[in-house]
Amino acid sequence: MPQKRAAMNWLTQNTSQIMDYALQHIVLSALPIIIGTLIAVPLARLANGARLTRVSLYVASSVLYAIPSLPLLIFLPALLGTRILDPINIEVALTIYAVAIMLTSASHAFLSIDSNAMHAADAMGFGVWKKFFQVELPLAGTQLLAGIRVVSVSTISLVTVGSLIGVNSLGFFFLEGYQRDFPFEIWVGIVGTALIALIFDQILAASGRLLMPWNRHGPAGRGSVA
């Protein structure tokens, strides 16, 4: 009972801080997801043009994702000329991981397109960009969205690592809860992070139904990828 009372007192006293860190967590997550997708999708499409470049892309994406997050966050300030506490460091690191995940997903999405549709577009005189936006993106859309949803969950989870170098997010409560031996605070960070991931995922799913109405009953519209 005293533990429950302590938990409720802590929650009441720290509601404002929780909301502030949740908002920071959302901002830190959103940009890498967007930028990583915008970089990876056209890059994957270009790399699919030849088997050698496609294999190289798979290797590069695996290498990028294998970089440990904490050493990367410590190394980036020296590379970028930023301070260790600048949020730009974690934004760049998360964008790198987002690109690494999305490259392979986007490559597989474009490879899954029916070749007959591509031949038909060529026969109709579609140029490279017109074919990309009007044929390839719509046909690969469901798998691209699935990849973005995976990137979203991964990015939101990795944001918490930034708290180790002083970039505040919900990960702050992991550290403080551990240092104070106060599990409730740790659970606040875990549940808050999971809720943000769920909200992002549902927003992406709803966006998929809106932008791709022909796939409303497909995989993009069914629940979470997790």
Side-chain angles (χ1 to χ4, degrees), residues 40 44 57-59 61-62 99-109:
L57 177 142
Y58 294 160
V59 172
S61 63
S62 298
V99 170
I101 296 173
M102 196 62 201
L103 277 174
T104 303
S105 296
S107 175
H108 290 160

Side-chain angles (χ1 to χ4, degrees), residues 25-49:
H25 200 117
I26 290 170
V27 172
L28 288 170
S29 302
L31 285 177
I33 295 170
I34 296 169
I35 296 172
T37 300
L38 291 177
I39 292 173
V41 169
L43 188 59
R45 178 60 190 89
L46 289 173
N48 273 1

